[in-house]
Amino acid sequence: MLKDICFAAIVGFGFAYACNSPLKTLILSAILAAIAYVLRFSLLNFGINNIAIATFIASFCIGCLGILLAKLSKTPAEIIAFPALIPMIPGIYAYKAILNFISFTRTENIELKNKFLTLFFDEFFTTIFVSISLARH
């Protein structure tokens, strides 16, 4: 898990750097990204079994922490908090949804079509709801 926390921090730092954020906010974005990952991971494994709700709670907390850190660093909260949310983008769910849709269109077996269509909608709506959870903050 420590490796994943470090990668989340690197992504938060890298995205903040790519957006030309002030140097003093790069570390804050990395720390918030690590906190966001730990919070969502903890919620998913020790309480809430829904990734959209866990992402919503984690992004809300990061938004609140971002506001506090923004006041301390005298920068807009978006500069600190937004890069911290990037590691929680549901890319794997979107990828799986596309793969299931392609499998659905290529198969002739009706049972497999039903399976792939069900999996497509499951992954697709997970992607949508997690993205909406992130976009609200």
Side-chain angles (χ1 to χ4, degrees):
M1 182 170 154
L2 185 59
K3 179 178 74 168
D4 292 337
I5 294 169
C6 289
F7 282 133
I10 290 168
V11 169
F13 182 91
F15 193 79
Y17 182 78
C19 291
N20 292 327
S21 297
L23 290 176
K24 64 183 176 180
T25 63
L26 296 177
I27 298 298
L28 295 175
S29 293
I31 291 169
L32 281 181
I35 291 170
Y37 177 82
V38 169
L39 185 56
R40 185 173 79 165
F41 180 84
S42 299
L43 288 169
L44 284 172
N45 291 309
F46 305 114
I48 297 170
N49 198 19
N50 185 317
I51 191 165
I53 295 172
T55 301
F56 177 78
I57 293 170
S59 64
F60 180 78
C61 292
I62 293 307
C64 293
L65 284 172
I67 290 170
L68 292 174
L69 291 175
K71 287 183 181 184
L72 294 174
S73 65
K74 296 182 172 111
T75 58
E78 295 83 7
I79 291 175
I80 297 171
F82 181 69
L85 298 176
I86 296 300
M88 292 194 292
I89 290 177
I92 192 69
Y93 295 104
Y95 177 74
K96 287 180 181 179
I98 291 168
L99 286 180
N100 285 313
F101 184 72
I102 291 170
S103 298
F104 167 76
T105 59
R106 289 190 173 185
T107 189
E108 298 296 325
N109 185 335
I110 193 71
E111 289 178 17
L112 285 176
K113 275 190 168 295
N114 288 337
K115 175 188 169 195
F116 289 132
L117 190 61
T118 302
L119 290 172
F120 165 73
F121 279 114
D122 183 44
E123 302 293 343
F124 176 76
F125 282 118
T126 299
T127 302
I128 295 297
F129 290 132
V130 171
S131 299
I132 289 170
S133 295
L134 289 170
R136 298 297 298 158
H137 302 287

